[in-house]
Amino acid sequence: DSGVTQTPKHLITATGQRVTLRCSPRSGDLSVYWYQQSLDQGLQFLIQYYNGEERAKGNILERFSAQQFPDLHSELNLSSLELGDSALYFCASSSGTGWTTNEKLFFGSGTQLSVL
Amino acid sequence: GESVGLHLPTLSVQEGDNSIINCAYSNSASDYFIWYKQESGKGPQFIIDIRSNMDKRQGQRVTVLLNKTVKHLSLQIAATQPGDSAVYFCAENIEPNNNDMRFGAGTRLTVKP
């Protein structure tokens, strides 16, 4: 068990809908990362937050947004969903700030999103 | 664009043998690399890391080798066990000032009893 909790484990929805994925980082970790894993794109970095502030942005679509709350949990919001958004979405946390390298990421078990 | 890639998508080994999983990276500025293991239904799990100022690092039954000349990373698993069966990803930190790790496509390791 990595200590990172993601809910829900599975999510089935329809095109055009909006969903929210939730992540609770390991106790004490201030950085939260979101990754998307699909069969054709592999594991893609989406966005990182540190202590409530956006720290780095990767291949995140404009239809997607995220935030980190004062209690450090994070939510990833996916809107106007398309079939191609079906993927496994992982949250990871680390104890670092994200400004330095050598920060090990601890991943949750992921949320499997299926857009029908 | 620059990316991390793997030479072999699948690898099958006999229990007890040593395994070698390879990874090519193209960004010469990457200064930090990690190997992750992902078992079915789970998130990636950290195995071992190495900084660019090193060429070898050893852990428990695992060794990572970094060859910056040819931009090649490898993961060696000694005495491979059935529990080692998983998908293995290499990841590189492409931006020195943030933790944006870019992952390779992954190699599926299957250990035959």
Side-chain angles (χ1 to χ4, degrees):
Chain A
D1 182 11
S2 67
V4 177
T5 304
Q6 287 187 251
T7 58
K9 290 191 181 302
H10 302 277
L11 199 50
I12 302 174
T13 188
T15 55
Q17 295 298 305
R18 172 190 168 94
V19 297
T20 297
L21 282 52
R22 183 189 169 99
C23 169
S24 294
R26 291 190 318 157
S27 177
D29 283 357
L30 299 180
S31 284
V32 170
Y33 305 75
W34 286 98
Y35 281 83
Q36 179 193 58
Q37 186 175 41
S38 60
L39 290 176
D40 58 344
Q41 293 291 325
L43 202 61
Q44 299 283 320
F45 169 68
L46 296 178
I47 198 165
Q48 180 209 351
Y49 281 81
Y50 171 73
N51 203 21
E53 294 186 1
E54 182 183 304
R55 180 57 55 90
K57 200 176 250 190
N59 300 319
I60 188 167
L61 300 172
E62 287 192 7
R63 299 183 286 108
F64 296 179
S65 65
Q67 55 184 328
Q68 186 179 27
F69 295 86
D71 67 353
L72 301 177
H73 91 271
S74 178
E75 293 181 355
L76 178 67
N77 301 297
L78 314 176
S79 61
S80 303
L81 285 168
E82 302 175 359
L83 296 177
D85 297 327
S86 295
L88 197 54
Y89 291 84
F90 285 107
C91 169
S93 73
S94 76
S95 59
T97 64
W99 284 133
T100 60
T101 55
N102 200 21
E103 293 185 19
K104 301 167 190 174
L105 302 182
F106 294 86
F107 284 80
S109 296
T111 292
Q112 178 66 60
L113 174 66
S114 298
V115 182
L116 305 179
Chain B
E2 294 181 321
S3 64
V4 177
L6 290 165
H7 294 308
L8 297 173
T10 61
L11 178 65
S12 182
V13 301
Q14 205 70 36
E15 181 179 358
D17 288 351
N18 296 333
S19 302
I20 300 177
I21 301 172
N22 297 303
C23 176
Y25 66 96
S26 56
N27 187 348
S28 58
S30 295
D31 63 351
Y32 180 57
F33 305 86
I34 300 179
W35 279 100
Y36 283 91
K37 170 187 180 183
Q38 186 175 18
E39 297 175 275
S40 180
K42 297 183 180 180
Q45 177 187 359
F46 173 90
I47 301 174
I48 191 167
D49 59 355
I50 188 167
R51 299 189 65 88
S52 59
N53 60 354
M54 304 170 68
D55 53 20
K56 180 179 181 179
R57 193 166 188 216
Q58 288 185 295
Q60 187 177 11
R61 281 200 309 117
V62 295
T63 301
V64 56
L65 299 177
L66 175 63
N67 186 331
K68 293 181 288 293
T69 302
V70 295
K71 298 175 191 170
H72 184 266
L73 196 67
S74 69
L75 177 71
Q76 299 179 0
I77 305 174
T80 314
Q81 303 169 0
D84 295 328
S85 293
V87 176
Y88 290 81
F89 295 95
C90 65
E92 65 177 315
N93 178 253
I94 64 169
E95 293 287 340
N97 292 322
N98 70 37
N99 211 33
D100 178 2
M101 300 299 296
R102 298 300 171 92
F103 286 74
T107 292
R108 180 173 298 280
L109 174 67
T110 301
V111 182
K112 296 178 289 186

